Amino acid sequence: MKWIIPIFAAAMVIGHLAWRLCFPSQRPTATPFLLTQWEETVYSLDADEDVRFVPPPFSPQRPARYSVPPSLKAQGLSWQQLMVRVSGGQILFSAASLGKGTVRSAFTYCSYLYRAPDLELPYDLSQLPADGDWIVREEAPLERRMKALESILSEITGRKLAIDRLSVERDVVIARGKWEFHPSADPKAAQFYTPDRDMKHGGVGTLADSFRSLGEQLGQKIIDETEEPHPREVFWTDRGHFFATLHDSWRADALASLEKQTSLKFVQTRRVIPVWIVSEKGKRQ
């Protein structure tokens, strides 16, 4: 991790503020240019970097990077975290958060994984503070991003974290059969797939894409063994987590409801699957 650049940038910010405090009527004309140059350096990546963490204090130039909506600004709110992507050498500001950063948000920003079935992150570790901005190389393989996260999060949390991709036996759902969608008008039915695209609260993609989203809501991996032909695209909802209040005893009823809507068969079983597992070194169960 290249800590020298964020630290030096912070020193530049502090020096700039000290100058304004001591010499309020004298502003060096080079300062804005130097701040901009350092801002570009801080929010880019070196050739051998895949992930960078930038802790506060932030540069005075930062607010211009990702503007706060007027409604939030009127409440005195500002972005606590920025998620920055570097793709093809270009800096792309793609997400911002009002909340304080945690280990969980770091995984969300840097790996796009944040819960089972693909990631198992203990709650106590997930809530550790990791407040600051993240810069991620878009093209970097997930394995390299995870390795970088292991090092960075261990340093900023003071905990020796391990991030491993292991083959473990877990509860899964196998999807079989041929897709034929029949939306349900029953208010008690499990509502996941929808007949139309909902830009505000839904997803659109292939059937396999929908299985990934469904698996996140179930907390179990969906293994696709469906038959061709597959639909060109399907629509689904992400209004909250519609399985979030279901206990294991109810999951079968929910999947049975989806079977009626999709003509697919969802079989619950156990399989050995690859999972990213986060633990504290020396404390893995």
Side-chain angles (χ1 to χ4, degrees), residues 15 21 58 86 88 98 100 102 130 133 162 173 184 187 191 199 206 210 214 227 230 233 235 240-241 256 264 285:
L21 179 64
F58 300 116
V86 174
L98 293 170
K100 293 285 188 180
T102 63
D133 296 343
V173 176
S184 175
Q191 302 292 343
M199 293 296 292
T206 65
S210 77
L214 178 60
E227 304 171 23
H230 289 155
E233 63 180 11
F235 310 108
H241 303 302
L264 298 176
Q285 298 295 322

Side-chain angles (χ1 to χ4, degrees), residues 114-118 192-193 201-222 234-243 258:
Y114 53 98
R115 62 174 179 266
D118 298 304
F192 177 74
Y193 289 104
H201 302 287
V204 57
T206 65
L207 186 60
D209 293 332
S210 77
F211 287 158
R212 279 189 286 273
S213 181
L214 178 60
E216 289 176 355
Q217 298 203 37
L218 280 170
Q220 295 180 353
K221 186 176 182 62
I222 310 294
V234 295
F235 310 108
W236 64 91
T237 180
D238 61 2
R239 288 188 178 92
H241 303 302
F242 78 108
F243 281 106
L258 290 184

Side-chain angles (χ1 to χ4, degrees), residues 125-146:
L125 297 181
S126 74
Q127 298 306 299
L128 292 174
D131 201 29
D133 296 343
W134 292 95
I135 300 94
V136 181
R137 190 177 304 281
E138 181 90 340
E139 298 87 355
L142 180 57
E143 288 75 11
R144 289 180 53 171
R145 282 180 274 141
M146 287 295 201

Side-chain angles (χ1 to χ4, degrees), residues 48-83:
D48 61 344
E49 272 188 298
D50 297 310
V51 177
R52 178 182 291 179
F53 176 70
V54 181
F58 300 116
S59 161
Q61 304 286 87
R62 179 179 177 269
R65 296 276 182 179
Y66 212 101
S67 60
V68 178
S71 59
L72 297 179
K73 189 177 292 186
Q75 302 175 51
L77 300 175
S78 61
W79 299 127
Q80 297 293 322
Q81 280 196 298
L82 294 181
M83 189 277 169

